């Protein structure tokens, strides 16, 4: 059985503890690898190796540092299909979704390759007579990133390419559920010429996270995962004097106005809610159907979702519309949430049950489910399901729809489908979410912009991605310079 090894000081090693967790193929319910549960000793060894590598890496010119990333991009493009299959195999999402996962990650590498420009500072000559001032950005030192399971390629790539391009050394803790893609990409990074110690991987769960948070040698932590954990990471990381950016969960509302394009809205909502089996922090989780959209868009949506094929995604030969959820436990959790929803009065419009695939009887499949009649008395209105379940709420007006969307605690994403500019503008202005989509099912985070979640969806000041990522992984230095003129003679004559 393959063991996902740690990378410390440029060497792939197993931790001293023999404790492991299984890595499963959710399409088949079969173990495909094991991941070690490392602890404080492995974190400490990784920090020491990173601290040793830091002076040499930080003083390497940015234009040289990014050559490693250019070479990595070439390797990723050459192995693109193989890596996508790996993502589908350990995660369960379809191949086309895995292509999106890796493509968005490669865009982060392309963005990080602009480090020589992104790191430029400001200068002003003569802030006073004969005195100049300039400001530049320097790396923080050793920084760490803790990742969720749902984007095995993309989320780690949100973090470390920018961090190392800025001159930091990075310690990555991938999700213990999907460690294989991260390991594969970092092996390609080694092949691209990264010096030992600049990037380390320490696998495991809570014990590794606690050791990262406690270690005095780590200057900053990037976290992506559920809100309960994100809040704790932020609280403890800050209390320990670290810079922290911590992205949490979501409950994204999508408002459908009566003037929305019927087919495109149904398609957008289907993709938004059921893409990656709903395991996206930007998933559409509640559709607020305004007025007569219930007679146009809603029936079209139910029809298209009811026709979706669910099944295994781990071979290129046949691909379904939707794959499995991540684990057997999560499948049970999603099923339980659906029963909770119906026990509180929701009506199943389609799905509502576990799904079986004849070719893969042990896969963790759930039918794409639409539940109508959700109100705020129903726990489904406020709890993140993170599965293929779309709530339907009704509203008479846009104003009522916005008030419904703003009653929940998260603030990751919010979309509207409409052909009215003023309605879209009103929604964008008033809705309490940091990523707004207008006639798109998912306002997907893009490398060049920060991923601006709000409220219970983000804890920190500087978001992940875009120029804010560069600000997060660097500190500013402002230098004031005065050169004394000799008291006598012409200096230029010397
Ligand atoms: P999770 O919070 O269970 O795990 C995330 C990471 O934290 C993992 O590496 C895990 O090992 C670690 N962890 C888990 N429990 C911990 C604990 N008690 N103490 C310390 N560390 C712990 O999240 P997940 O199930 O892997 O991912 C799904 C969640 O991530 C969803 O809530 C989703 O909305 C969120 N997410 C958010 C974004 C975003 O950008 N806002 C992006 C992707 C996923």
């Amino acid at each position: 059985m393959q063991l996902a090894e740690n990378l410390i000081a440029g060497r792939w090693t197993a931790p001293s503890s023999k404790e492991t967790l299984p890595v499963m193929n959710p399409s088949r319910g079969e173990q495909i690898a094991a991941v070690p549960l490392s602890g404080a000793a492995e974190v400490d060894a990784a920090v020491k190796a990173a601290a040793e590598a830091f002076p040499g890496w930080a003083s390497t010119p940015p234009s040289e540092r990014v050559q490693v990333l250019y070479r990595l991009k070439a390797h990723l493009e050459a192995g693109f299909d193989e890596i996508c299959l790996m993502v589908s195999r350990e995660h369960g999402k379809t191949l086309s979704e895995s292509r999106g996962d890796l493509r968005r990650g490669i865009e982060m590498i392309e963005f990080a390759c602009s480090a020589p420009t992104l790191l430029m500072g400001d200068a002003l000559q003569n802030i006073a007579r004969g005195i100049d001032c300039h400001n530049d950005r320097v790396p923080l030192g050793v920084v760490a990133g803790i990742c969720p399971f749902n984007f095995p390629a993309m989320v780690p790539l949100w973090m470390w390419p920018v961090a190392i391009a800025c001159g930091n050394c990075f310690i990555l803790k991938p999700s213990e559920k999907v460690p294989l893609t991260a390991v594969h990409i970092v092996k390609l990074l080694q092949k691209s010429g990264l010096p030992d110690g600049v990037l380390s991987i320490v696998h495991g769960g809570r014990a590794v996270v606690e050791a990262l948070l406690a270690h005095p040698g780590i200057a900053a932590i990037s976290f992506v995962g559920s809100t309960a954990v994100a809040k704790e990471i932020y609280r403890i990381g800050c209390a320990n004097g670290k810079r922290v950016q911590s992205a949490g969960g979501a409950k994204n509302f999508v408002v459908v106005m009566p003037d929305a394009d019927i087919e495109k809205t149904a398609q957008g909502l289907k993709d938004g809610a059921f893409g990656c089996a709903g395991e996206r922090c930007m998933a559409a989780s509640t559709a607020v159907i305004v007025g007569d959209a219930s007679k146009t868009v809603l029936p079209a949506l139910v029809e298209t979702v009811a026709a979706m094929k669910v099944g295994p995604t781990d071979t290129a030969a046949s691909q379904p519309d939707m794959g499995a959820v991540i684990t057997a436990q999560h499948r049970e959790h999603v099923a339980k949430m659906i029963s909770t929803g119906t026990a509180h009065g929701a009506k199943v419009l389609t799905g509502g049950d576990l799904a079986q695939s004849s070719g893969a009887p042990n896969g963790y499949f759930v039918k794409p489910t639409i539940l109508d009649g959700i109100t705020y008395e129903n726990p489904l209105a406020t709890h993140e399901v993170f599965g293929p379940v779309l709530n339907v709420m009704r509203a008479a007006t846009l104003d009522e729809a916005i008030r419904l969307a703003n009653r929940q605690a998260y603030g990751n994403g919010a979309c509207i489908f409409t052909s009215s500019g003023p309605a879209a503008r009103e929604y964008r202005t008033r809705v309490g979410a940091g990523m707004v989509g207008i006639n798109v099912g998912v306002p997907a985070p893009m490398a060049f912009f920060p991923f601006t979640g709000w409220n219970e969806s983000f804890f920190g000041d500087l978001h992940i991605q875009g120029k804010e990522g560069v600000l997060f992984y660097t500190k500013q230095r402002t230098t004031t310079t005065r050169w004394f003129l000799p008291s006598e003679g012409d200096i230029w004559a010397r």
Side-chain angles (χ1 to χ4, degrees):
M1 183 66 63
Q2 180 190 354
L3 178 75
E5 289 180 315
N6 290 335
L7 175 65
I8 296 173
R11 280 182 300 282
W12 295 94
T13 50
S16 49
S17 150
K18 294 283 166 271
E19 245 189 300
T20 61
L21 288 176
V23 179
M24 305 298 287
N25 170 357
S27 292
R28 310 276 164 194
E30 284 168 5
Q31 185 174 355
I32 50 174
V35 64
L37 290 175
S38 315
E42 288 74 27
V43 167
D44 190 50
V47 175
K48 284 201 174 100
E52 214 164 287
F54 177 65
W57 184 244
S59 60
T60 302
S63 54
E64 267 181 50
R65 290 198 297 253
V66 299
Q67 296 310 315
V68 176
L69 296 175
Y70 281 114
R71 289 193 286 272
L72 173 65
K73 174 177 154 65
H75 286 307
L76 291 173
E77 296 292 1
F80 194 84
D81 291 341
E82 181 200 355
I83 301 169
C84 292
L85 202 54
M86 192 177 287
V87 172
S88 289
R89 199 159 163 254
E90 68 174 341
H91 178 280
K93 63 177 76 176
T94 66
L95 264 181
S96 104
E97 290 160 352
S98 295
R99 285 186 199 108
D101 189 332
L102 183 55
R103 182 54 59 199
R104 296 284 91 78
I106 290 176
E107 285 167 4
M108 280 305 297
I109 294 169
E110 292 164 356
F111 173 73
C113 285
S114 311
T117 307
L118 292 165
L119 288 170
M120 279 183 184
D122 297 318
L124 182 64
Q125 182 154 331
N126 269 347
I127 54 159
R129 283 177 202 285
I131 301 180
D132 305 331
C133 206
H134 85 273
N135 164 284
D136 59 353
R137 307 208 140 270
V138 293
L140 301 178
V142 181
V143 301
I146 301 155
C147 297
F149 76 82
N150 64 323
F151 281 94
M154 179 184 78
V155 174
L157 291 171
W158 279 356
M159 301 173 180
W160 62 254
V162 175
I164 67 171
C166 290
N168 299 284
C169 292
F170 196 92
I171 298 172
L172 172 66
K173 194 208 87 65
S175 166
E176 63 277 29
K177 296 181 182 120
V178 294
L180 306 180
T181 307
V183 165
H184 183 81
I185 293 176
V186 170
K187 282 189 172 162
L188 294 176
L189 180 67
Q190 278 187 305
K191 214 168 138 184
S192 306
L194 192 77
D196 292 348
V198 174
L199 193 139
S200 307
I201 294 187
V202 182
H203 292 290
R206 189 175 180 156
V208 173
V209 175
E210 287 174 352
L212 291 169
L213 286 169
H215 203 295
I218 294 177
I221 302 261
S222 300
F223 174 85
V224 177
S226 56
T227 286
V229 183
K231 254 187 188 169
E232 277 301 282
I233 301 279
Y234 185 68
R235 187 182 67 75
I236 300 169
C238 291
N240 290 348
K242 300 182 196 313
R243 195 179 274 201
V244 184
Q245 53 179 193
S246 197
K251 194 82 201 171
N252 305 313
F253 277 57
V254 180
V255 168
V256 181
M257 296 300 287
D259 59 5
D261 180 288
I262 298 170
E263 295 310 320
K264 292 196 175 86
T265 304
Q267 187 61 40
L269 259 175
K270 180 179 92 169
D271 294 344
F274 303 107
C276 299
E279 292 171 328
R280 283 192 289 195
C281 66
M282 294 308 295
S285 66
T286 300
V288 185
I289 307 289
V290 179
D292 281 351
S294 61
K295 298 182 194 141
T296 56
V297 174
L298 190 55
L301 173 70
V302 174
E303 190 185 332
T304 179
V305 172
M308 285 176 76
K309 290 196 175 61
V310 182
T313 57
D314 57 347
T315 60
S318 74
Q319 284 286 309
D321 299 309
M322 193 180 92
V325 298
I326 187 71
T327 58
Q329 295 87 317
H330 191 55
R331 185 190 197 217
E332 290 316 310
H333 165 76
V334 174
K336 209 162 143 197
M337 290 301 286
I338 294 172
S339 328
T340 305
T342 51
H344 283 79
K347 183 178 156 212
V348 177
L349 296 185
T350 184
D353 210 349
L354 303 181
Q356 294 297 331
S357 167
S358 53
N362 298 323
Y364 311 138
F365 304 110
V366 179
K367 287 183 186 159
T369 296
I370 303 180
L371 296 175
D372 197 5
I374 302 284
T375 63
Y376 267 97
E377 281 65 54
N378 196 320
L380 247 65
T382 46
H383 287 69
E384 183 181 36
V385 177
F386 220 57
V389 179
L390 177 68
N391 296 336
V392 173
M393 287 185 176
R394 312 285 180 124
T397 61
L398 175 61
D399 183 66
E400 188 187 348
I402 295 172
R403 278 190 277 114
L404 284 171
N406 286 348
R407 263 180 76 177
Q408 46 82 39
Y410 297 100
N412 229 26
C415 298
I416 185 168
F417 283 90
T418 180
S419 55
S420 156
R425 186 173 187 276
E426 182 74 4
Y427 186 69
R428 174 185 173 277
T429 309
R430 286 174 53 198
V431 78
M435 300 283 286
V436 179
I438 296 169
N439 294 321
V440 296
V442 171
M446 301 302 291
F448 312 97
F449 289 94
F451 183 160
T452 46
W454 290 357
N455 307 335
E456 293 286 292
S457 294
F458 183 77
F459 307 92
D461 302 296
L462 294 167
H463 292 87
I464 298 172
Q465 295 192 293
K467 289 182 199 155
E468 284 199 31
V470 176
L471 297 182
F472 181 78
Y473 289 124
T474 52
K475 55 193 173 192
Q476 298 185 70
R477 174 175 53 202
T478 304
T479 307
T480 303
T481 307
R482 176 169 62 169
W483 294 105
F484 298 108
L485 291 175
S487 48
E488 287 176 8
D490 179 358
I491 55 162
W492 313 120
R494 289 183 193 177

Coordinates of all heavy atoms in Angstrom, one line a residue, residues 146-151 155 158 173-177 204-206 209-210 223-227 229 233 247-250 280-281 384 386 412 451 457, ligand 1:
I146 N -2.5 25.2 5.7 CA -3.3 24.0 6.1 C -4.5 24.0 5.2 O -5.2 24.9 5.1 CB -3.7 24.2 7.6 CG1 -2.5 24.3 8.5 CG2 -4.6 23.0 8.0 CD1 -2.8 25.1 9.8
C147 N -4.7 22.8 4.6 CA -5.6 22.8 3.4 C -6.8 21.8 3.7 O -6.7 20.8 4.4 CB -4.9 22.3 2.2 SG -3.6 23.4 1.7
P148 N -8.0 22.1 3.0 CA -9.1 21.3 3.1 C -9.1 20.2 2.0 O -8.2 20.2 1.2 CB -10.3 22.2 2.8 CG -9.7 23.2 1.8 CD -8.2 23.3 2.1
F149 N -10.1 19.3 2.0 CA -10.0 18.2 1.0 C -10.6 18.5 -0.3 O -10.3 17.8 -1.3 CB -10.9 17.0 1.6 CG -12.3 17.2 1.5 CD1 -13.0 16.9 0.3 CD2 -13.1 17.6 2.6 CE1 -14.4 17.0 0.2 CE2 -14.5 17.8 2.4 CZ -15.1 17.5 1.3
N150 N -11.3 19.6 -0.5 CA -12.2 19.7 -1.6 C -11.6 20.2 -2.9 O -12.1 20.0 -4.0 CB -13.5 20.6 -1.3 CG -13.2 22.0 -1.0 OD1 -12.1 22.3 -0.4 ND2 -14.0 22.9 -1.4
F151 N -10.4 20.8 -2.8 CA -9.6 21.1 -4.1 C -8.2 20.6 -3.9 O -7.3 21.4 -3.5 CB -9.7 22.6 -4.4 CG -11.0 23.0 -5.0 CD1 -12.0 23.5 -4.3 CD2 -11.2 22.8 -6.4 CE1 -13.3 23.8 -4.9 CE2 -12.4 23.2 -7.0 CZ -13.4 23.7 -6.2
V155 N -6.2 24.4 -3.9 CA -6.0 25.1 -2.6 C -4.6 25.2 -2.1 O -4.1 26.3 -1.8 CB -7.0 24.7 -1.5 CG1 -6.7 25.4 -0.2 CG2 -8.5 25.0 -1.9
W158 N -3.0 27.9 -4.0 CA -3.4 29.2 -3.7 C -2.3 29.8 -2.8 O -2.2 31.0 -2.7 CB -4.7 29.2 -2.8 CG -5.9 29.1 -3.5 CD1 -6.2 29.1 -4.9 CD2 -7.2 29.1 -2.9 NE1 -7.5 29.0 -5.1 CE2 -8.2 29.0 -4.0 CE3 -7.7 29.0 -1.6 CZ2 -9.6 28.9 -3.7 CZ3 -9.0 28.9 -1.4 CH2 -10.0 28.9 -2.4
K173 N 0.6 21.5 5.0 CA -0.1 20.3 5.6 C -1.3 20.1 4.7 O -2.3 20.8 4.8 CB -0.6 20.5 7.0 CG -1.0 19.2 7.6 CD -2.0 19.2 8.7 CE -3.5 19.3 8.3 NZ -4.0 18.1 7.6
P174 N -1.3 19.1 3.8 CA -2.4 18.8 2.9 C -3.5 18.2 3.7 O -3.3 17.8 4.8 CB -1.9 17.8 1.9 CG -0.4 17.7 2.1 CD -0.1 18.2 3.5
S175 N -4.7 18.2 3.2 CA -5.8 17.4 3.8 C -5.4 16.0 3.9 O -4.9 15.4 2.9 CB -7.1 17.6 3.0 OG -8.0 16.6 3.5
E176 N -5.6 15.4 5.0 CA -5.3 13.9 5.2 C -6.2 13.1 4.3 O -5.9 11.9 4.1 CB -5.4 13.5 6.7 CG -6.8 13.6 7.3 CD -7.2 15.0 7.8 OE1 -6.6 16.0 7.3 OE2 -8.0 15.1 8.8
K177 N -7.3 13.6 3.8 CA -8.2 12.9 3.0 C -7.7 12.8 1.5 O -8.0 11.9 0.8 CB -9.6 13.5 3.0 CG -10.2 13.4 4.4 CD -11.6 13.9 4.4 CE -12.2 13.9 5.8 NZ -12.5 15.2 6.3
G204 N -0.8 14.8 8.2 CA -1.5 14.4 9.5 C -2.8 15.2 9.7 O -3.3 15.8 8.7
G205 N -3.2 15.3 10.9 CA -4.5 15.9 11.2 C -4.2 17.0 12.3 O -3.3 17.8 12.2
R206 N -5.1 17.0 13.3 CA -5.1 18.0 14.3 C -3.8 18.2 15.0 O -3.4 19.4 15.3 CB -6.2 17.6 15.3 CG -6.5 18.7 16.3 CD -7.7 18.3 17.2 NE -7.9 19.4 18.1 CZ -9.0 19.6 18.7 NH1 -10.1 18.8 18.5 NH2 -9.2 20.6 19.5
V209 N -1.6 20.4 13.0 CA -2.0 21.8 13.0 C -1.7 22.5 14.4 O -1.2 23.6 14.4 CB -3.6 21.8 12.8 CG1 -4.1 23.2 12.9 CG2 -3.9 21.2 11.4
E210 N -1.9 21.8 15.4 CA -1.6 22.4 16.8 C -0.1 22.7 16.9 O 0.3 23.7 17.4 CB -2.1 21.4 17.9 CG -3.6 21.5 18.0 CD -4.2 20.5 18.9 OE1 -3.5 19.6 19.5 OE2 -5.5 20.6 19.1
F223 N -4.9 29.3 6.3 CA -5.8 28.1 6.6 C -7.0 28.2 5.6 O -7.6 29.3 5.4 CB -6.3 28.1 8.0 CG -7.3 27.0 8.3 CD1 -6.9 25.7 8.6 CD2 -8.7 27.3 8.2 CE1 -7.9 24.7 8.8 CE2 -9.6 26.3 8.4 CZ -9.2 25.0 8.7
V224 N -7.5 27.1 5.1 CA -8.7 27.0 4.4 C -9.4 25.7 4.9 O -8.8 24.6 4.9 CB -8.5 26.9 2.9 CG1 -9.9 26.8 2.2 CG2 -7.8 28.2 2.4
G225 N -10.7 25.9 5.3 CA -11.4 24.7 5.9 C -12.8 25.2 6.4 O -13.3 26.2 6.0
S226 N -13.3 24.4 7.4 CA -14.6 24.7 7.9 C -14.5 25.9 8.9 O -13.5 26.1 9.5 CB -15.2 23.5 8.6 OG -14.3 23.0 9.6
T227 N -15.7 26.6 9.1 CA -15.7 27.8 9.9 C -15.2 27.5 11.4 O -14.5 28.3 12.0 CB -17.0 28.5 9.9 OG1 -17.2 29.1 8.6 CG2 -17.2 29.5 10.9
V229 N -13.2 25.4 12.6 CA -11.8 25.2 12.7 C -11.1 26.5 12.4 O -10.1 27.0 13.0 CB -11.3 24.1 11.9 CG1 -9.8 23.9 12.0 CG2 -12.0 22.7 12.2
I233 N -8.2 28.5 14.5 CA -6.9 28.7 13.9 C -6.5 30.2 14.0 O -5.4 30.6 14.4 CB -6.8 28.3 12.4 CG1 -7.2 26.9 12.2 CG2 -5.5 28.7 11.7 CD1 -6.2 25.9 12.4
A247 N -9.7 31.1 6.0 CA -11.0 31.0 5.2 C -11.8 29.9 5.7 O -11.3 28.8 5.8 CB -10.6 30.9 3.7
G248 N -13.1 30.2 5.9 CA -14.0 29.2 6.5 C -15.1 28.7 5.5 O -15.0 28.9 4.3
G249 N -16.2 28.2 6.1 CA -17.3 27.6 5.3 C -18.2 28.7 4.8 O -17.9 29.9 4.8
A250 N -19.4 28.2 4.3 CA -20.2 29.1 3.5 C -21.7 28.6 3.5 O -22.0 27.4 3.8 CB -19.7 29.2 2.1
R280 N -18.1 22.5 -2.5 CA -17.3 23.7 -2.8 C -17.8 24.8 -1.9 O -19.0 25.0 -1.6 CB -17.7 24.2 -4.3 CG -17.0 23.4 -5.3 CD -17.1 24.1 -6.7 NE -18.5 24.0 -7.2 CZ -18.8 24.3 -8.5 NH1 -17.9 24.6 -9.3 NH2 -20.0 24.2 -8.9
C281 N -16.8 25.6 -1.4 CA -17.2 26.7 -0.5 C -18.0 27.8 -1.3 O -18.6 28.6 -0.7 CB -16.0 27.3 0.1 SG -14.9 28.1 -1.1
E384 N -24.2 24.6 6.8 CA -23.5 24.2 5.6 C -23.6 22.7 5.4 O -23.1 21.9 6.3 CB -22.0 24.6 5.6 CG -21.3 24.3 4.4 CD -19.8 24.7 4.4 OE1 -19.2 24.6 5.5 OE2 -19.3 25.1 3.3
F386 N -22.5 21.0 2.5 CA -21.3 20.6 1.8 C -21.5 19.3 1.0 O -20.7 18.3 1.0 CB -20.1 20.5 2.7 CG -18.8 21.0 2.0 CD1 -18.8 22.3 1.5 CD2 -17.7 20.2 1.8 CE1 -17.6 22.8 0.9 CE2 -16.6 20.7 1.2 CZ -16.5 22.0 0.8
N412 N -19.6 34.2 2.1 CA -18.6 33.9 1.1 C -19.0 34.4 -0.3 O -18.4 35.1 -0.9 CB -18.4 32.4 1.1 CG -16.9 32.0 1.1 OD1 -16.1 32.8 1.6 ND2 -16.6 30.8 0.6
F451 N -9.6 36.5 -2.9 CA -10.9 35.7 -2.6 C -11.5 36.4 -1.4 O -11.1 36.0 -0.2 CB -10.5 34.3 -2.4 CG -11.7 33.4 -2.1 CD1 -11.5 32.0 -2.3 CD2 -12.9 33.8 -1.8 CE1 -12.6 31.1 -2.1 CE2 -14.0 33.0 -1.5 CZ -13.8 31.6 -1.7
S457 N -17.2 33.6 7.0 CA -16.5 32.9 6.0 C -15.0 33.2 5.9 O -14.2 32.6 5.2 CB -17.1 33.1 4.6 OG -18.4 32.5 4.6
Ligands
LIG1 P1 -11.9 20.9 7.8 O1 -12.1 22.1 8.6 O2 -12.5 19.6 8.4 O3 -10.4 20.5 7.6 C1 -9.5 21.5 7.1 C2 -8.1 21.3 7.6 O4 -8.1 21.4 9.0 C3 -7.6 19.8 7.3 O5 -6.2 19.9 6.9 C4 -7.7 19.1 8.7 O6 -6.7 18.2 8.9 C5 -7.6 20.3 9.7 N1 -8.5 20.1 10.8 C6 -9.7 19.5 10.9 N2 -10.2 19.6 12.1 C7 -9.3 20.2 12.9 C8 -9.2 20.6 14.3 N3 -10.2 20.3 15.1 N4 -8.1 21.2 14.7 C9 -7.1 21.5 13.9 N5 -7.1 21.2 12.6 C10 -8.2 20.5 12.1 O7 -12.5 21.1 6.4 P2 -12.7 20.1 5.2 O8 -13.8 19.2 5.5 O9 -11.4 19.5 4.8 O10 -13.1 21.1 4.0 C11 -14.5 21.5 3.8 C12 -14.7 22.9 4.5 O11 -13.7 23.8 3.9 C13 -16.0 23.5 4.1 O12 -16.6 24.1 5.3 C14 -15.8 24.5 3.0 O13 -16.7 25.5 2.9 C15 -14.4 25.0 3.5 N6 -13.7 25.6 2.4 C16 -13.6 27.0 2.4 C17 -13.0 27.6 1.3 C18 -12.8 29.1 1.3 O14 -12.0 29.6 0.6 N7 -13.6 29.8 2.1 C19 -12.4 26.9 0.3 C20 -12.5 25.5 0.3 C21 -13.2 24.9 1.4

